[in-house]
Amino acid sequence: GERDGDDARRRAGDANERRVTMERSAMKRTTRRATHVARASSAETTDKPLDHVMDKLRARGKDAVQVLMLLSLFACWYGFNIVFNIYNKQILKSFPYPVTVTLIELGVGSALICAMWASGAKKPPTLTKEMLKPIVPLAVIHAVGNLLTNVSLGKVAVSFTHTIKAMEPFFSVLLSALFLGDIPSLAVVGALVPVVGGVALASMTEVSFCWAGFLAAMGSNITFQSRNVLSKKMMGLSSIKGAIDNINLFSVITMLSCVVCLPIAIGLEGVHFTPSTISAVGVSVQELAKSLMIAGFCFQMYQQISYMILSRVSPVTHSVGNCMKRVTVIVVTLLYFKNPVSPLNMAGTAFALRGGVLY
């Protein structure tokens, strides 16, 4: 009996020892698991701020690229416009046929548009008779507007033409009120006062002033703003809405304007782009052709880039950028051509441009 009792106690002791050993093993496993979880949690807490910083850097990088792209587009817009105005003025001084020059520049633009569509850079639009009906009048107006601008550039200084064209907001408000029923606020009307006053002051003190150049620039203001108002109405038509975007619309208008200019050029000026006529005015055929190609290329590019910028910024930002472009063109062409300018003339130009920014 005593031996049986000893065996029972020994078995109970062994069982207790095994239980203690198992409990200790379980505690060790729990401790290791807790340590692993703690380390993982610590790693996550250290990784999260780093990931957040990297996300911020990536977002800022994307924003910086977009800003740089936009600044590059503005620089190209201004640069192409400046080069166009300088070459255009030089061409019209030596080859005084503004309608022929307009026709050739629109022709160069049309060739570039065809190349754009053929290369696949832009898908060409599918046009119907219903779409062409409202587009053709816009093309006629566009052709006349460019023709009048070239007439003005041939008659007066580039800076004066652009000072007069600073009155575009005035005609925009006037035509929008007449045809769209958009009544301007008092603030808008107030912003137009320095525009009109500045142009009047600049005109009275302009050394190169002549009525033909002045009226041609005013006519281009009316035609271009009429085009803008009609474009706004046309884009709301069921046959146009969603069927063509702004870039393709401008491309179609440019090509149709070239067709419109052809009979006008022949009817008003005849066929003057011939070696004999060019030699008669004392210009090299090669140099004139090169200048016309450059002017036509720059004309098309600055118009195309203008639409690209408009798709990225608000209309207000685009308008302010356009006013600053006009300031840049006026300053650069004054320095390039060394036109004499009086203090009153500069003051009038500054008032007109300031009014454009306020508008």
Side-chain angles (χ1 to χ4, degrees):
E2 288 178 0
R3 279 198 301 270
D4 291 342
D6 290 340
D7 291 338
R9 283 192 293 271
R10 196 164 43 248
R11 284 194 297 270
D14 291 342
N16 285 334
E17 188 175 344
R18 283 195 300 271
R19 187 171 59 252
V20 170
T21 302
M22 290 175 66
E23 288 176 354
R24 286 177 179 172
S25 298
M27 288 178 65
K28 286 180 180 179
R29 284 195 299 271
T30 304
T31 303
R32 282 197 298 269
R33 193 179 297 114
T35 304
H36 179 72
V37 171
R39 286 175 180 172
S41 176
S42 175
E44 286 179 4
T45 55
T46 55
D47 285 342
K48 279 183 179 178
L50 183 59
D51 291 343
H52 187 60
V53 169
M54 291 303 295
D55 289 341
K56 277 190 173 181
L57 288 174
R58 289 191 197 99
R60 287 180 181 176
K62 288 179 181 178
D63 290 341
V65 169
Q66 290 177 356
V67 170
L68 286 173
M69 177 63 73
L70 191 59
L71 290 175
S72 299
L73 287 173
F74 268 98
C76 291
W77 187 25
Y78 287 23
F80 281 124
N81 197 270
I82 290 168
V83 174
F84 165 73
N85 278 281
I86 290 174
Y87 270 90
N88 219 26
K89 180 63 177 178
Q90 290 175 333
I91 291 167
L92 291 166
K93 283 172 68 176
S94 58
F95 187 72
Y97 301 104
V99 188
T100 302
V101 170
T102 304
L103 171 64
I104 295 170
E105 288 172 349
L106 288 171
V108 173
S110 299
L112 291 172
I113 292 165
C114 291
M116 176 184 71
W117 287 341
S119 66
K122 184 75 177 175
K123 185 180 178 182
T126 302
L127 298 174
T128 63
K129 288 183 180 180
E130 291 300 318
M131 292 173 65
L132 286 173
K133 283 180 183 178
I135 293 177
V136 170
L138 289 178
V140 174
I141 294 171
H142 183 72
V144 173
N146 282 294
L147 192 156
L148 290 173
T149 298
N150 278 343
V151 169
S152 179
L153 287 171
K155 297 291 184 181
V156 296
V158 176
S159 56
F160 184 52
T161 296
H162 280 274
T163 300
I164 300 169
K165 287 178 74 66
M167 279 194 70
E168 284 180 352
F170 172 81
F171 291 104
S172 177
V173 169
L174 179 63
L175 294 172
S176 294
L178 290 175
F179 295 106
L180 299 179
D182 294 339
I183 306 301
S185 64
L186 288 175
V188 169
V189 175
L192 294 176
V193 172
V195 173
V196 178
V199 170
L201 180 60
S203 300
M204 288 187 294
T205 56
E206 173 60 36
V207 176
S208 66
F209 181 86
C210 77
W211 280 107
F214 175 81
L215 293 175
M218 280 294 186
S220 73
N221 280 339
I222 295 171
T223 52
F224 280 135
Q225 293 311 307
S226 299
R227 180 198 62 187
N228 294 343
V229 171
L230 290 175
S231 294
K232 188 174 180 180
K233 287 189 70 174
M234 189 196 70
M235 291 304 285
L237 296 175
S238 58
S239 60
I240 299 293
K241 196 172 183 180
I244 187 169
D245 60 20
N246 284 332
I247 293 178
N248 272 336
L249 175 62
F250 172 73
S251 299
V252 173
I253 288 173
T254 299
M255 297 179 78
L256 290 175
S257 297
C258 182
V259 175
V260 170
C261 266
L262 180 60
I264 297 175
I266 295 173
L268 293 179
E269 296 178 347
V271 181
H272 285 293
F273 196 68
T274 60
S276 59
T277 305
I278 294 170
S279 300
V281 295
V283 184
S284 166
V285 176
Q286 291 79 8
E287 285 298 319
L288 180 60
K290 177 185 172 183
S291 296
L292 283 167
M293 292 301 106
I294 293 173
F297 175 78
C298 291
F299 170 76
Q300 181 63 26
M301 291 305 297
Y302 91 74
Q303 295 271 13
Q304 202 79 27
I305 291 171
S306 174
Y307 277 97
M308 292 172 66
I309 292 173
L310 188 57
S311 67
R312 287 170 167 78
V313 301
S314 68
V316 175
T317 302
H318 188 272
S319 296
V320 173
N322 194 41
C323 287
M324 294 301 101
K325 173 179 68 69
R326 209 173 294 286
V327 173
T328 307
V329 170
I330 288 172
V331 172
V332 172
T333 54
L334 280 174
L335 294 173
Y336 186 86
F337 292 110
K338 298 181 174 60
N339 301 122
V341 185
S342 67
L344 281 177
N345 185 271
M346 286 299 295
T349 301
F351 278 134
L353 295 170
R354 177 60 178 165
V357 175
L358 287 174
Y359 168 79

